[in-house]
Amino acid sequence: MMRKKLLQISISALLALSLLAGCGSAPAEEEEVELIEPVGVTADYAVVTRRDLQTVKILNGKVVPKVSEVTFSGGQNFKKYGNMPGMNVRAGDVIVYGSTESIDNQIKDLQEQIDAASEDMTDYLSETNKQLAEYIQHEKNCADVMDSFDGMTEEERENYENYDSEYEKYRRIYQQATAQREKCEQELKKKTELYALDSEYNQKKLRRLQKKREEVLALAPVDGNLVAINYFDENSWVAKETPVGAVGDLNALELKTDQVFESEVKRAEDVFAIVNGKRYEVEFKKSESAAASEGETASADGYATFLVDDPAHEVKAGDFGIVVLIARQEKDVLSVPKDAINTDSDGTFVYRYEGDTTVFTPVKTGLSAGMFTEIVSGLEEGDRVVSEYRVTAGDRTTTLKKGRIYTTFKQNGYLFYSQTEWVKNPVEYGTAYLDEIKVQQYERVEKGQTVAIIRVKPNALEIARSERTLLRAQEDLAELVRTNVNDSNAKQIGRQNRTIADLQKKISEMKTDAATTEVKAPYSGIITGMIQFEEGDILQKDGRVVQISSEDNCYVVCEDENGQLTVGNEVLISYSDNNVGTIGVRGDVVTVAPCALSKSLATGYTLMKVSPEDMTTLSGINQGAGGWWMRAYFTITSEVRSMDNVLLVPKTAVKLEGGVTYVKVKDADGRAEYVSFIAGGSDNNNYWVVSGLSEGMTICLE
């Protein structure tokens, strides 16, 4: 720039001198003036060279199953879990139960009403059809008599004593028989139609209740594996359409990556994925929000989704992958270092060497990437331009080889008991008093172990009343049996037997409740909750006593705020102390990373399952002195962001300029040149190469 400005000053000075000369004597003969650029004072230059230039964006991602989230269709109170992460489920399986007690009672009452009506109708039809058959036969007999009268000759009628009165008598009987049959048929039709209407109404009502009950159940929408669950306390309110879990289809995998807009993907000149060192073609999948709006909408979860073209099914859930977006690329184009390019109001230019002299040279530029800018016109290959670009070949070199790269996830974890249940007052009849809780917080208990002592004051009047009712019912049954002729009392006998059975069951339950003195653990587990009480406090029906967490459905859990682990990953779970030494077991991650879930399901924790034998080992570590339970912390480690069979470049050999990675490649003559490459990622020591370098190349170490 300074040389060009000096040139402009020289021209201005010459013009001023010529104007002054015009006011005096005639000028001397003019000498031809040659305007030249100032002679270069240094030998700093770069050679115009052909290179490949490109601008690249790398999207880090994880291979996850296609996920369908589970919700209640209406707000519900949480009751319990039907399935837990890692379990295979079928479409329609219950993932979470809402409280169904009230609606179940309604369904039960209605079903009993329907069954009773059906039984009554069956009895009515049996009796009525029998009666109708008798009426029809009687009418037929009467018709036969009338036919006999009508078939008599005149002589037979005259010889028939009282013919006219007898004829009239049987005609009336025939008419009465016809009327009885018609009335019975009309009543049968009316009763049948009314029953059909009532039955249709009750069936519709039952279907509505059953549908309403389905709304109280959060059902799996598809077949697959349960890969996420939300956490609720018993009876806590779950709002409508709040995700309570997610089912993943391990046969339909997706690559979830950093956010990118579809338009950016479409504009890119090349888009592909790298998984386990292999290139795959990919297809961008619109987010549901973008598809719904038909616009350029970012997905609400902050991630992009790509479908990987993998007919051989080599890509597995849990694999780390990247998507490479080559936004623009120019191959084998003339280029110069960026610092050689100058710009002013007249345009873009360089200073090109002609011998030892630098010459102002306008140029047209193209793509700029990293250290270099494309020259579209104005220079030729081999030209030298002013630049401070330097490449020196160092003595320390290395040869590029393929290998494996990964980072290590390390976090503390502990046992998580997912099935938690409050042990409640088992007494339904009478008044229960809580005298003593026999366990303490975090104590381990066995199935059937006593957790509380209670005493029950029975309702003696109710028991006596029920026993008297039972005695009368048994006496009535005996009378029905005694007078049962040709099964005439069969229907009443059946109903009376059911009444007696219900009374006997109720009396038995009342006496059992009256004799109850203990509350027992329903399964083996850990006491994780207790009520506050004073001796003699009344326990309400279904009142809580202690909370137990089951040992049968246990996980190892660790914090994972960044979602580094996902379903398909393996982990090492280790523990070490002076008593047990060092223990290490393998675990499988059963929950999917947050990138596959809506925000409300992203809990920040990862669940892992181990074999039953290894879970016994881990549970044993939690066993403290005297059978007490203690929380032991395990070390969870896993290799994440791993990439196999990729070219590795030591970080000490890499120069990062303008977002582009370079290494000095040394040729056979010992000369070095910066060569760019696409880096897929790095660990503490190495970058791994997507493209741009080859195995066996010799590079310089900075």
Side-chain angles (χ1 to χ4, degrees):
M1 179 65 72
M2 183 59 70
R3 294 187 178 94
K4 184 176 181 184
K5 297 305 180 186
L6 290 173
L7 177 61
Q8 293 171 342
I9 294 171
S10 299
I11 294 173
S12 300
L14 287 171
L15 288 172
L17 289 171
S18 65
L19 290 172
L20 292 172
C23 298
S25 58
E29 185 178 350
E30 291 186 3
E31 295 181 355
E32 185 178 351
V33 179
E34 181 181 2
L35 303 178
I36 62 172
E37 291 288 319
V39 176
V41 294
T42 69
D44 294 345
Y45 68 88
V47 178
V48 179
T49 306
R50 291 190 175 275
R51 294 181 176 86
D52 293 340
L53 301 179
Q54 56 191 357
T55 55
V56 178
K57 186 173 186 177
I58 301 294
L59 306 172
N60 292 311
K62 295 181 180 66
V63 178
V64 297
K66 181 182 178 182
V67 165
S68 300
E69 296 192 348
V70 183
T71 63
F72 286 113
S73 57
Q76 301 295 336
N77 288 105
F78 171 80
K79 184 176 181 181
K80 65 177 182 179
Y81 295 104
N83 285 277
M84 291 299 292
M87 294 181 177
N88 293 320
V89 296
R90 301 294 299 272
D93 285 353
V94 179
I95 305 302
V96 175
Y97 289 89
S99 181
T100 62
E101 183 176 356
S102 174
I103 197 167
D104 283 343
N105 288 334
Q106 294 179 57
I107 291 174
K108 179 184 176 184
D109 292 343
L110 181 57
Q111 188 62 61
E112 289 177 352
Q113 180 182 336
I114 291 172
D115 293 343
S118 176
E119 184 179 344
D120 289 343
M121 188 62 184
T122 300
D123 292 343
Y124 170 79
L125 289 174
S126 176
E127 295 174 0
T128 303
N129 285 327
K130 181 179 178 181
Q131 185 68 52
L132 181 60
E134 293 175 357
Y135 288 154
I136 291 172
Q137 185 61 47
H138 179 53
E139 182 185 25
K140 183 178 181 301
N141 293 339
C142 292
D144 291 343
V145 171
M146 293 304 299
D147 288 342
S148 298
F149 275 110
D150 291 337
M152 289 181 178
T153 64
E154 187 66 30
E155 182 180 356
E156 288 174 332
R157 292 176 184 174
E158 290 178 355
N159 293 332
Y160 192 93
E161 186 178 357
N162 300 322
Y163 171 82
D164 291 337
S165 61
E166 287 294 313
Y167 181 86
E168 186 62 26
K169 170 185 173 184
Y170 282 105
R171 186 184 66 80
R172 287 196 300 270
I173 292 174
Y174 177 52
Q175 289 176 338
Q176 290 172 354
T178 300
Q180 283 180 321
R181 188 260 306 163
E182 290 177 346
K183 180 180 180 182
C184 185
E185 287 178 339
Q186 290 172 357
E187 289 179 351
L188 176 60
K189 180 182 178 183
K190 181 180 179 181
K191 181 78 171 180
T192 303
E193 289 175 348
L194 287 173
Y195 172 77
L197 290 173
D198 288 343
S199 178
E200 182 181 3
Y201 171 78
N202 286 330
Q203 290 296 336
K204 286 182 178 179
K205 186 176 180 181
L206 181 62
R207 286 193 293 271
R208 286 196 299 269
L209 287 173
Q210 289 170 337
K211 184 176 181 180
K212 188 175 180 181
R213 189 182 190 279
E214 289 180 2
E215 295 175 357
V216 182
L217 306 175
L219 306 177
V222 295
D223 296 350
N225 285 66
L226 192 59
V227 294
I229 203 78
N230 220 330
Y231 300 103
F232 306 100
D233 293 325
E234 187 177 3
N235 291 323
S236 61
W237 178 252
V238 182
K240 178 182 178 181
E241 297 183 357
T242 297
V244 298
V247 178
D249 184 356
L250 293 175
N251 295 316
L253 301 179
E254 300 175 336
L255 181 57
K256 289 282 189 176
T257 71
D258 303 326
Q259 183 65 279
V260 66
F261 284 108
E262 182 183 18
S263 58
E264 189 174 353
V265 176
K266 287 182 175 180
R267 286 195 303 267
E269 295 189 15
D270 195 10
V271 182
F272 57 91
I274 301 290
V275 182
N276 289 325
K278 184 175 178 179
R279 172 177 171 143
Y280 295 90
E281 300 305 311
V282 293
E283 175 188 348
F284 180 82
K285 179 182 176 182
K286 267 190 175 183
S287 67
E288 292 184 2
S289 56
S293 66
E294 298 183 356
E296 186 70 349
T297 304
S299 63
D301 55 14
Y303 298 93
T305 304
F306 290 86
L307 303 180
V308 180
D309 184 11
D310 177 32
H313 302 293
E314 298 171 318
V315 176
K316 306 298 180 186
D319 284 344
F320 170 70
I322 66 167
V323 169
V324 182
L325 269 69
I326 299 180
R328 184 180 171 188
Q329 58 183 347
E330 301 293 342
K331 293 183 176 294
D332 195 34
V333 294
L334 296 178
S335 63
V336 297
K338 280 185 176 180
D339 72 339
I341 304 296
N342 301 280
T343 303
D344 67 5
S345 58
D346 294 327
T348 305
F349 60 92
V350 299
Y351 291 109
R352 177 176 54 83
Y353 277 99
E354 289 185 358
D356 291 333
T357 303
T358 56
V359 179
F360 168 80
T361 305
V363 294
K364 182 179 179 181
T365 60
L367 175 64
S368 287
M371 297 182 182
F372 303 102
T373 298
E374 176 189 3
I375 299 298
V376 177
S377 62
L379 295 174
E380 295 182 356
E381 186 175 3
D383 284 350
R384 295 177 302 144
V385 295
V386 173
S387 171
E388 295 181 359
Y389 175 74
R390 290 284 182 276
V391 184
T392 56
D395 295 331
R396 296 175 60 240
T397 62
T398 188
T399 302
L400 296 183
K401 298 178 181 179
K402 287 188 175 182
R404 182 168 184 269
I405 192 170
Y406 62 89
T407 57
T408 299
F409 173 88
K410 187 174 183 180
Q411 187 63 269
N412 288 331
Y414 52 88
L415 294 187
F416 167 58
Y417 297 89
S418 61
Q419 182 181 346
T420 299
E421 180 179 332
W422 277 96
V423 181
K424 299 178 180 179
N425 173 24
V427 174
E428 183 176 359
Y429 301 99
T431 304
Y433 299 88
L434 179 58
D435 287 341
E436 181 183 4
I437 291 182
K438 301 289 289 183
V439 293
Q440 297 189 38
Q441 188 83 347
Y442 301 127
E443 181 179 348
R444 185 182 181 279
V445 296
E446 297 288 347
K447 180 179 180 180
Q449 180 177 333
T450 299
V451 297
I453 300 296
I454 64 173
R455 53 188 168 85
V456 179
K457 181 180 179 181
N459 189 333
L461 290 176
E462 179 63 22
I463 294 175
R465 186 182 301 112
S466 297
E467 287 178 335
R468 288 195 299 272
T469 303
L470 174 61
L471 181 59
R472 287 195 297 269
Q474 290 170 333
E475 292 172 348
D476 292 342
L477 175 62
E479 180 63 19
L480 287 170
V481 172
R482 187 183 66 79
T483 59
N484 186 31
V485 178
N486 297 325
D487 287 336
S488 59
N489 296 336
K491 178 179 176 182
Q492 294 91 328
I493 290 173
R495 290 179 177 174
Q496 197 67 10
N497 277 322
R498 288 193 291 273
T499 298
I500 290 172
D502 290 342
L503 284 168
Q504 289 173 333
K505 180 182 178 183
K506 179 180 178 181
I507 293 169
S508 175
E509 289 174 349
M510 286 192 290
K511 290 182 176 181
T512 299
D513 282 354
T516 300
T517 59
E518 298 174 326
V519 179
K520 297 182 180 294
Y523 45 72
S524 299
I526 308 301
I527 301 296
T528 53
M530 300 173 62
I531 65 167
Q532 298 295 322
F533 80 103
E534 294 182 2
E535 183 179 351
D537 280 353
I538 293 177
L539 274 177
Q540 300 298 326
K541 180 184 175 183
D542 292 328
R544 295 178 174 184
V545 181
V546 297
Q547 186 182 58
I548 297 182
S549 297
S550 171
E551 290 184 323
D552 295 333
N553 201 0
C554 185
Y555 298 85
V556 178
V557 62
C558 71
E559 192 171 351
D560 184 15
E561 284 290 346
N562 296 324
Q564 298 184 64
L565 299 177
T566 190
V567 62
N569 292 151
E570 291 186 0
V571 298
L572 176 65
I573 303 167
S574 56
Y575 179 82
S576 179
D577 69 15
N578 294 331
N579 294 323
V580 301
T582 299
I583 294 174
V585 301
R586 190 188 70 83
D588 295 313
V589 176
V590 296
T591 48
V592 75
C595 60
L597 303 169
S598 59
K599 291 182 179 179
S600 58
L601 277 176
T603 63
Y605 290 87
T606 293
L607 299 184
M608 294 146 280
K609 291 287 282 185
V610 300
S611 69
E613 296 78 14
D614 289 337
M615 182 54 69
T616 300
T617 299
L618 297 181
S619 297
I621 295 172
N622 284 275
Q623 182 89 22
W628 287 79
W629 183 86
M630 64 178 186
R631 170 163 287 178
Y633 286 91
F634 307 100
T635 301
I636 313 298
T637 54
S638 181
E639 295 178 356
V640 296
R641 299 174 65 89
S642 64
M643 193 64 65
D644 293 325
N645 194 35
V646 289
L647 202 62
L648 301 182
V649 180
K651 280 190 170 180
T652 54
V654 176
K655 179 180 178 65
L656 185 62
E657 185 76 27
V660 180
T661 45
Y662 295 90
V663 292
K664 291 180 186 177
V665 176
K666 199 170 186 179
D667 62 19
D669 297 329
R671 291 175 298 185
E673 181 61 45
Y674 277 116
V675 175
S676 68
F677 69 96
I678 299 177
S682 67
D683 62 9
N684 291 332
N685 302 311
N686 298 291
Y687 285 94
W688 64 273
V689 179
V690 174
S691 63
L693 301 176
S694 302
E695 190 172 11
M697 277 185 172
T698 300
I699 62 172
C700 299
L701 298 173
E702 291 287 326

